[in-house]
Every structure is written in structure tokens, then in C-alpha cells.
Amino acid sequence: MEIVNAAIIYYSATGTVHALAQAAAEGAEKAGAHVRLRRVAETAAPEAISAKPAWAQHLQDTADIDEASLDDLEWADVVLFGTPTRFGNVASQLKAFIDATGPLWMGGGLASKVYSAFTASNTAHGGQESTLLALGNTFYHWGGIIVPPGYTDPIQFQSGNPYGTSHVSGDGAPGEVALQAARHQARRAVDTAAALKAGRGA
Ligand SMILES: Cc1cc2nc3c(=O)[nH]c(=O)nc-3n(C[C@H](O)[C@H](O)[C@H](O)COP(=O)(O)O)c2cc1C
């Protein structure tokens, strides 16, 4: 199998999406990829963060994870993006990272890679799918190859979101079903990228 580079780029304020991102990194590694797990820069005001202890604590707990850079996107054959649902949309922190990719995009540096996305929301119908579809808009503009999990593994019939791994954080931290779904999603994205890489090299 072709070795592919997989970047897992995410934002998480209170740890839910971080847990999914870690599971995605495990899945990508198991599929044989070189993996970079990266959090995007925090852009919120320090007063807003310190007003919410769980937010401040998570930021401190993940300080050792490297911040995402444009080099990570350039390096990757496959990119999985993770974001909490914010009013049915992508978190502004991840959007700020995406909005800084203009020069790379202009040079064709984001085209023809594999992309996939995962999310978490507080409630079951709180906008997970609209968030994933919103991220999809970016992938279309980049000329990306979107690889959703669909129902390609039995775990998908338990986790239940063919657009991308999603977790309802109001029910607690991600359990084994969500984590397995994230691992499966990453594996599938990596396998697809590897097949593309092999085909392009043939
Ligand atoms: C500004 C803001 C907007 C949010 N919007 C939604 C929403 O539209 N639907 C929902 O179910 N949860 C919403 N949430 C809750 C988060 O999506 C949820 O807590 C998520 O799991 C947090 O992920 P994290 O722990 O990785 O930060 C919102 C939270 C914030 C702070």
C-alpha cells in the first residue's frame, strides 16, 4: 500500500471534538498513514475562555498539541477536519484557519486531496449535518475529493450519520460507538487516498 500523509485538523473548546480527533488519528495510523494531529489556534478573547472553566482547562490540557499550519495542509494527502457545531455551522476558530488558505488554494495546493469531516453538538438535532455540509462547501471550492463514511461499516448503523462522525455531547463524552465511527471514517479516507496515490503513480 502507498504510504499517505494524513492531517487531522480540529477545533475543540471543551474536549468532545478533541476525543473524536484522537480516535480519527488512531484510525489513520492503523491504516498505515503518517499522521499529524493538529488543533487550530484559539481566537476567542481570554476573558471569554476564563469565564468557562471547562474551556480554560481543555486549552491548558492540550497545550502540547501543535497548532495547525498551512504546511500541514500542503503535506497531507488526506485531511480530516473536526469542529463543534456552532449554531448549525462551523466554529469560527476552524473557519479562521480555513480562511487563511487563500494563497495555497490559488496555487492549486489544496486540490485533489481527500477530505472528510466530523462534528459534535449538544443536542441530537442541533445541526450536525448542516455543519458537515457547510464544511463540504469548502472542499468543493478546493477541488477536494470528499470521502464520507456513508454506511460502509456496521458501526455506521449504530452511530447513524453517513455525512461524518458526530456525537451528541449532551449525552456525555464520546463512547466506543462514536470513537469507532471516527476510526472507521479515518481508515476509509486513508485507504481511498492510498488507492488514489497508487493510481496516480502507475
Ligand atoms: C456559541 C455556541 C453555539 C453552539 N451551537 C450549537 C448548536 O447549534 N446546536 C447544538 O446542538 N449545540 C450547539 N452548541 C454546543 C456545542 O456544539 C457542543 O457543546 C459541542 O459538543 C462542543 O464540542 P467541544 O467539547 O469539542 O468544544 C453550541 C455551543 C456554543 C458555545
Side-chain angles (χ1 to χ4, degrees):
M1 193 191 88
E2 290 284 333
I3 303 285
V4 302
N5 294 335
I8 319 292
I9 296 180
Y10 75 98
Y11 175 72
S12 181
T14 54
T16 314
V17 173
H18 167 73
L20 297 177
Q22 277 190 313
E26 286 164 21
E29 254 160 35
K30 239 197 165 127
H34 295 307
V35 177
R36 290 185 187 177
L37 176 68
R38 299 287 186 263
R39 63 187 174 92
V40 297
E42 182 56 84
T43 59
E47 313 83 82
I49 297 169
S50 56
K52 209 171 159 192
W55 192 358
Q57 185 64 51
H58 182 67
L59 194 57
Q60 196 180 313
D61 290 348
T62 53
D64 60 331
I65 296 179
D66 289 338
E67 274 185 10
S69 70
L70 294 183
D71 173 67
D72 297 317
L73 287 178
E74 209 165 5
W75 167 84
D77 301 297
V78 48
V79 188
L80 284 97
F81 284 100
T83 177
T85 287
R86 291 281 162 89
F87 305 121
N89 220 316
V90 180
S92 61
Q93 289 85 348
L94 182 61
K95 193 62 170 54
F97 175 75
I98 286 171
D99 288 354
T101 61
L104 191 53
W105 161 75
M106 281 279 275
L110 297 173
S112 307
K113 296 173 189 278
V114 166
Y115 296 100
S116 204
F118 53 93
T119 191
S121 66
N122 195 48
T123 58
H125 300 285
Q128 295 177 339
E129 288 169 12
S130 59
T131 299
L132 296 172
L133 290 168
L135 267 172
N137 287 332
T138 296
F139 306 152
Y140 282 113
H141 281 253
W142 287 352
I145 297 157
I146 300 173
V147 177
Y151 291 94
T152 54
D153 186 273
I155 194 66
Q156 288 302 116
F157 290 92
Q158 291 184 61
S159 65
N161 194 337
Y163 298 84
T165 302
S166 308
H167 178 68
V168 177
S169 58
D171 294 343
E176 213 27 57
V177 169
L179 298 177
Q180 268 190 52
R183 290 184 198 111
H184 167 66
Q185 182 176 1
R187 248 195 327 266
R188 175 171 155 78
V190 165
D191 287 349
T192 305
L196 282 168
K197 200 167 184 177
R200 286 170 182 153

